Amino acid sequence: MAKVYLAGPFFDQAGIELQRLEAVKAALSKNPTISAVFSPKDEDLKSPIISQLPVMSSDWQQAVFENDLRGLKEADVLLVITDSASNANGSDDGTAFEVGYWYAMNQVSQQQRPIVLYAERAAKLNLMIARSAEYYTTVLAELADLDFNQLPTNPYQGVVN
């Protein structure tokens, strides 16, 4: 059973990114090949340490940073929501960091921990994010059925920038 780290934006004022995040989590909850989903938004709120700190304080920032890195280190698969209301390149800054960190961890450890990209409507992706992934889909329901333990290869074939 795979542990999934769910990376993606959730900060837009209209709430579109948060709705997308919730839809992806709902699909993943139906997937029998997944044992756990680490969603930084949720995990940071549930943390007894982080929840007691003043939001955006230096201590809060450090605790969130460390908690999210722990989540990345403990996961088997990185699932990236590439749609972003604030960035036409298909990611936000935090998501781009998570992808780069994940990829570098795999290179150093020589592990084969895949990256899955999900795009609801992104017309193009950042080249670095697109090339780092083993699997790409635009079909939300596919996330409920995809075998995250024996992931097939389906690379992104679209426009990059």
Side-chain angles (χ1 to χ4, degrees), residues 114-133:
I115 297 173
V116 175
L117 304 178
Y118 166 67
E120 184 176 276
R121 60 189 173 124
K124 60 184 173 180
L125 295 180
N126 172 278
L127 167 70
M128 301 305 279
I129 291 174
R131 288 292 165 209
S132 68

Side-chain angles (χ1 to χ4, degrees), residues 19-75:
Q19 290 173 5
R20 188 179 297 116
L21 180 71
E22 293 302 323
V24 169
K25 288 189 326 192
L28 295 175
S29 73
K30 297 174 186 173
N31 189 310
T33 68
I34 296 174
S35 62
V37 175
F38 183 101
S39 174
K41 178 194 157 299
D42 298 329
E43 297 301 323
D44 293 341
L45 292 174
K46 290 191 293 188
S47 165
I49 296 170
I50 296 170
S51 62
Q52 299 302 314
L53 296 170
V55 175
M56 293 299 170
S57 67
S58 180
D59 289 343
W60 180 90
Q61 292 174 36
Q62 187 63 36
V64 166
F65 181 75
E66 290 172 5
N67 193 49
D68 293 356
L69 291 183
R70 181 188 52 76
L72 283 164
K73 291 172 186 172
E74 293 176 357

Side-chain angles (χ1 to χ4, degrees), residues 52-127:
Q52 299 302 314
L53 296 170
V55 175
M56 293 299 170
S57 67
S58 180
D59 289 343
W60 180 90
Q61 292 174 36
Q62 187 63 36
V64 166
F65 181 75
E66 290 172 5
N67 193 49
D68 293 356
L69 291 183
R70 181 188 52 76
L72 283 164
K73 291 172 186 172
E74 293 176 357
D76 302 306
V77 178
L78 177 63
L79 174 58
V80 181
I81 301 171
T82 62
D83 295 298
S84 173
S86 60
N87 189 335
N89 290 334
S91 74
D92 68 329
D93 295 341
T95 303
F97 172 86
E98 290 161 331
V99 172
Y101 188 86
W102 181 271
Y103 191 84
M105 278 193 320
N106 286 342
Q107 296 302 303
V108 170
S109 67
Q110 298 181 348
Q111 291 183 320
Q112 297 297 323
R113 298 184 317 154
I115 297 173
V116 175
L117 304 178
Y118 166 67
E120 184 176 276
R121 60 189 173 124
K124 60 184 173 180
L125 295 180
N126 172 278
L127 167 70

